[in-house]
Short mmCIF file of all heavy atoms in Angstrom, two decimals:
data_model
loop_
_atom_site.label_atom_id
_atom_site.label_comp_id
_atom_site.label_asym_id
_atom_site.label_seq_id
_atom_site.Cartn_x
_atom_site.Cartn_y
_atom_site.Cartn_z
N GLU N 300 7.44 7.77 8.23
CA GLU N 300 6.16 7.38 8.78
C GLU N 300 5.13 7.06 7.72
O GLU N 300 3.99 6.71 8.05
CB GLU N 300 5.63 8.51 9.68
CG GLU N 300 6.45 8.72 10.94
CD GLU N 300 6.10 9.99 11.70
OE1 GLU N 300 5.34 10.81 11.15
OE2 GLU N 300 6.60 10.17 12.85
N GLY N 301 5.54 7.15 6.43
CA GLY N 301 4.60 6.78 5.35
C GLY N 301 3.52 7.78 5.10
O GLY N 301 2.46 7.40 4.58
N ARG N 302 3.74 9.03 5.40
CA ARG N 302 2.69 10.04 5.29
C ARG N 302 2.61 10.70 3.91
O ARG N 302 1.68 11.41 3.60
CB ARG N 302 2.86 11.10 6.38
CG ARG N 302 2.61 10.52 7.79
CD ARG N 302 3.27 11.33 8.91
NE ARG N 302 2.82 12.72 8.89
CZ ARG N 302 3.39 13.70 9.58
NH1 ARG N 302 4.50 13.41 10.28
NH2 ARG N 302 2.95 14.94 9.54
N PHE N 303 3.65 10.47 3.10
CA PHE N 303 3.67 11.03 1.73
C PHE N 303 3.04 10.07 0.73
O PHE N 303 3.19 8.84 0.86
CB PHE N 303 5.11 11.34 1.31
CG PHE N 303 5.62 12.67 1.78
CD1 PHE N 303 6.30 12.79 2.98
CD2 PHE N 303 5.44 13.81 1.01
CE1 PHE N 303 6.78 14.02 3.45
CE2 PHE N 303 5.93 15.03 1.45
CZ PHE N 303 6.59 15.13 2.66
N LYS N 304 2.37 10.64 -0.27
CA LYS N 304 1.93 9.87 -1.42
C LYS N 304 3.15 9.13 -2.00
O LYS N 304 4.25 9.71 -2.07
CB LYS N 304 1.33 10.83 -2.44
CG LYS N 304 0.76 10.23 -3.70
CD LYS N 304 0.01 11.34 -4.47
CE LYS N 304 -0.52 10.88 -5.81
NZ LYS N 304 0.45 11.14 -6.89
N PRO N 305 3.03 7.85 -2.39
CA PRO N 305 4.19 7.07 -2.75
C PRO N 305 5.10 7.70 -3.81
O PRO N 305 6.33 7.69 -3.64
CB PRO N 305 3.59 5.76 -3.26
CG PRO N 305 2.33 5.61 -2.48
CD PRO N 305 1.79 7.01 -2.36
N ASN N 306 4.53 8.23 -4.89
CA ASN N 306 5.43 8.79 -5.91
C ASN N 306 6.06 10.10 -5.47
O ASN N 306 7.18 10.46 -5.95
CB ASN N 306 4.73 8.93 -7.26
CG ASN N 306 3.63 9.96 -7.26
OD1 ASN N 306 3.10 10.36 -6.22
ND2 ASN N 306 3.26 10.44 -8.46
N CYS N 307 5.42 10.81 -4.54
CA CYS N 307 6.01 12.02 -4.03
C CYS N 307 7.22 11.69 -3.16
O CYS N 307 8.19 12.46 -3.13
CB CYS N 307 4.97 12.78 -3.22
SG CYS N 307 3.57 13.34 -4.23
N ALA N 308 7.16 10.58 -2.47
CA ALA N 308 8.32 10.15 -1.68
C ALA N 308 9.52 9.90 -2.59
O ALA N 308 10.66 10.21 -2.25
CB ALA N 308 7.96 8.88 -0.89
N VAL N 309 9.26 9.31 -3.78
CA VAL N 309 10.36 9.06 -4.74
C VAL N 309 10.96 10.38 -5.22
O VAL N 309 12.18 10.54 -5.32
CB VAL N 309 9.82 8.26 -5.93
CG1 VAL N 309 10.84 8.19 -7.04
CG2 VAL N 309 9.43 6.84 -5.48
N VAL N 310 10.10 11.36 -5.55
CA VAL N 310 10.62 12.67 -6.01
C VAL N 310 11.41 13.35 -4.92
O VAL N 310 12.47 13.93 -5.18
CB VAL N 310 9.45 13.54 -6.48
CG1 VAL N 310 9.94 14.97 -6.80
CG2 VAL N 310 8.77 12.94 -7.71
N LEU N 311 10.94 13.27 -3.68
CA LEU N 311 11.70 13.84 -2.58
C LEU N 311 13.03 13.15 -2.33
O LEU N 311 14.03 13.77 -2.00
CB LEU N 311 10.85 13.85 -1.32
CG LEU N 311 9.83 15.00 -1.16
CD1 LEU N 311 8.90 14.75 -0.02
CD2 LEU N 311 10.56 16.31 -1.00
N MET N 312 13.03 11.83 -2.54
CA MET N 312 14.27 11.09 -2.41
C MET N 312 15.29 11.59 -3.44
O MET N 312 16.47 11.78 -3.13
CB MET N 312 14.03 9.59 -2.61
CG MET N 312 15.00 8.70 -1.86
SD MET N 312 14.80 8.80 -0.09
CE MET N 312 13.11 8.31 0.10
N ASP N 313 14.83 11.82 -4.66
CA ASP N 313 15.71 12.37 -5.68
C ASP N 313 16.23 13.75 -5.30
O ASP N 313 17.42 14.06 -5.46
CB ASP N 313 14.91 12.43 -7.02
CG ASP N 313 15.71 13.09 -8.13
OD1 ASP N 313 16.67 12.49 -8.62
OD2 ASP N 313 15.33 14.23 -8.56
N PHE N 314 15.36 14.57 -4.75
CA PHE N 314 15.75 15.91 -4.28
C PHE N 314 16.83 15.81 -3.21
O PHE N 314 17.86 16.52 -3.23
CB PHE N 314 14.51 16.64 -3.76
CG PHE N 314 14.80 18.01 -3.20
CD1 PHE N 314 14.81 19.13 -4.03
CD2 PHE N 314 15.06 18.21 -1.84
CE1 PHE N 314 15.08 20.43 -3.51
CE2 PHE N 314 15.32 19.45 -1.32
CZ PHE N 314 15.33 20.57 -2.17
N LEU N 315 16.65 14.92 -2.23
CA LEU N 315 17.60 14.78 -1.14
C LEU N 315 18.94 14.26 -1.62
O LEU N 315 19.99 14.64 -1.08
CB LEU N 315 16.99 13.85 -0.09
CG LEU N 315 15.74 14.36 0.65
CD1 LEU N 315 15.21 13.31 1.61
CD2 LEU N 315 16.01 15.68 1.37
N VAL N 316 18.91 13.40 -2.64
CA VAL N 316 20.17 12.92 -3.22
C VAL N 316 20.88 14.07 -3.94
O VAL N 316 22.10 14.31 -3.74
CB VAL N 316 19.91 11.75 -4.19
CG1 VAL N 316 21.16 11.46 -5.04
CG2 VAL N 316 19.51 10.50 -3.41
N ARG N 317 20.15 14.79 -4.75
CA ARG N 317 20.77 15.86 -5.55
C ARG N 317 21.33 16.98 -4.71
O ARG N 317 22.26 17.68 -5.06
CB ARG N 317 19.79 16.41 -6.59
CG ARG N 317 19.47 15.42 -7.71
CD ARG N 317 18.58 16.06 -8.78
NE ARG N 317 17.22 16.32 -8.35
CZ ARG N 317 16.76 17.51 -7.95
NH1 ARG N 317 17.54 18.56 -7.97
NH2 ARG N 317 15.49 17.65 -7.56
#
Side-chain angles (χ1 to χ4, degrees):
E300 292 169 351
R302 293 158 58 193
F303 276 91
K304 183 171 175 268
N306 67 339
C307 297
V309 170
V310 173
L311 277 170
M312 208 67 59
D313 176 69
F314 178 87
L315 296 176
V316 167
R317 290 186 290 100

